[in-house]
Amino acid sequence: MTGIGFDLLATDGRARRGRVTTAHGTIETPAFMPVGTAATVKAMTTDAVASTGAEILLGNTYHLMLRPTAERVAQLGGLHRFMNWNKPILTDSGGFQVMSLSDLRTMSEEGVTFKSHLDGSRHHLTPERSIQIQHMLDSNITMCLDECTPFPATEAQAESSMRLSMRWARRSKDAFVERPGYGLFGIVQGSVYPDQRAESVAALTDIGFDGYAIGGLAVGEGQETMFRVLDFTEPLMVKDRPRYLMGVGRPSDLIGAVRRGVDMFDCVMPTRSGRTGQAFVRSGTINIRNARHAHDERPLDADCGCPACRSYSRGYLHHLFKADEMLGPMLLTWHNLHYYQDVMRTMRQAIEDGTFEEVAGAMEARLNEGDVEATADPIAKPGKPPKQGRPPKAGKESDPPKADTDTNPPKTGKESDPQAAERVAEDKTDD
């Protein structure tokens, strides 16, 4: 086998159930990839990540080329050995990080020159260099270097950016070293413009890749616009290759995108939210720092089998965060990743059973239920009402808690969209 394999096992409407085969094992799709920015999924061991059901991780070219350097990772046996993960790895190209560092970089036809956010040193990243770095990392799925078009962008800006990315895609393909079990994905760009997305799909299909990513989303456009772009882009894409929606997302995003034919996802949302006190559960989200959880003996999610839900109460998890104990972020990260894998497992089974719309609709309805009612505090002082915190305003429980003060990202103009802000924060910092 040259490249990676993809078998389409079942469909239900546009939803797809598949299997990707690589040199380091198989990936059942639809699949969610935890983000291991700097060769680690923050607050987790690789054994713990595997126990959630994750079959592939994402590594970050930009961060690893700066520290410890791709040459050092290669000298130490490649990324799988370096981080003790013997399953597949996908590495992004560095394009998103370059876009987010707009004040520190200059673009040209040749590539991008940028200053390191670590020490200010200057680096030059070209399509050829990006592919070389990912080769040294021993990535199973390599991504073409592209310019991630910012949002909003005029039609002229988006067209220029997309066509540059298509020229870089050809150079990336020419630089890629084909070998069994390793593949290269092209990235569809074109912002929110149907004609440009169609041109991008056609250009990448003509070049020929092992898989195709949909880029330029989760950058502030909102879910409705994202789904609209998928509605006119996915039908144009080849059917016998995996589709990867980059940087997405929340559980409702995953469900909606699988409904529209997407196979693979990554996002920092479950890990970063776990570190800052937000838990994703079947009925929405929970901010475990809220006082209403301080005396609650119930688990985060009664239907979850993760260690946090099996062994610890909300009251204990609340205590860990209030006491700034590192176990709190570890347990919530573990829970969130386990929950995300549960969502993917449920969708895979529903597609196989031909019940995707019924199951997806039930999941979406439950996500809108909101958290269970708070219980009374059994040790509240007589004559005083139980201390449960202020009653949440509509939508308040779903809002992410404040990020750690030492990891807030520089201003990028995208902070109005929570998902975009989360992604930029994870990718631009090294916490």
Side-chain angles (χ1 to χ4, degrees), residues 43-246:
M44 297 283 284
T45 66
T46 51
D47 287 345
V49 175
S51 76
T52 68
E55 296 176 322
I56 178 172
L57 297 182
L58 181 144
N60 187 278
T61 292
Y62 168 83
H63 283 285
L64 292 171
M65 70 176 284
L66 296 179
R67 184 171 60 191
T69 75
E71 289 78 7
R72 180 64 68 205
V73 173
Q75 178 256 319
L76 292 170
L79 195 52
H80 297 88
R81 182 178 175 186
F82 185 59
M83 65 183 297
N84 190 33
W85 175 261
N86 61 5
K87 299 175 183 290
I89 294 174
L90 178 149
T91 48
D92 62 14
S93 67
F96 178 83
Q97 290 72 33
V98 165
M99 183 273 286
S100 67
L101 295 169
S102 57
D103 295 336
L104 301 174
R105 49 89 168 167
T106 56
M107 302 284 297
S108 70
E109 182 69 33
E110 178 63 18
V112 57
T113 300
F114 63 92
K115 292 183 180 179
S116 165
H117 73 286
L118 297 174
D119 59 11
S121 58
R122 295 180 66 84
H123 300 266
H124 190 54
L125 189 64
T126 65
E128 293 79 9
R129 176 58 177 160
S130 176
I131 299 300
Q132 180 189 38
I133 291 169
Q134 294 177 78
H135 184 97
M136 286 189 286
L137 295 175
D138 196 32
S139 172
N140 295 105
I141 299 177
T142 294
M143 302 302 299
C144 290
L145 181 66
D146 67 328
E147 181 186 17
C148 183
T149 309
F151 180 86
T154 67
E155 193 164 358
Q157 289 170 333
E159 181 181 86
S160 175
S161 175
M162 179 271 293
R163 289 179 176 170
L164 175 63
S165 290
M166 296 307 98
R167 295 191 293 274
W168 285 1
R170 168 60 72 181
R171 289 167 56 188
S172 296
K173 176 68 180 290
D174 291 343
F176 182 72
V177 179
E178 294 187 0
R179 54 219 190 271
Y182 292 82
L184 176 67
F185 279 25
I187 304 175
V188 178
Q189 291 289 352
S191 188
V192 298
Y193 304 104
D195 289 347
Q196 294 187 28
R197 289 283 176 176
E199 180 181 331
S200 182
V201 170
L204 294 174
T205 303
D206 182 63
I207 297 171
F209 292 93
D210 296 286
Y212 297 87
I214 303 168
L217 296 175
V219 291
E221 75 284 350
Q223 188 185 80
E224 182 180 352
T225 299
M226 178 178 71
F227 286 166
R228 179 169 59 85
V229 172
L230 291 178
D231 282 335
F232 59 67
T233 301
E234 181 274 334
L236 304 173
M237 301 176 73
V238 295
K239 306 301 181 186
D240 62 349
R241 295 290 186 272
R243 292 92 168 259
Y244 162 32
L245 179 56
M246 305 180 74

Side-chain angles (χ1 to χ4, degrees), residues 23 204 258 274-275 354:
L204 294 174
V258 168
R275 298 198 307 279

Side-chain angles (χ1 to χ4, degrees), residues 288 290-296 313-316 318-319 377 387:
I288 200 62
N290 286 349
R292 71 192 296 264
H293 304 297
H295 56 273
D296 199 328
S313 68
R314 293 182 179 206
Y316 180 66
H318 171 86
H319 158 71
D377 187 345
K387 185 179 179 182

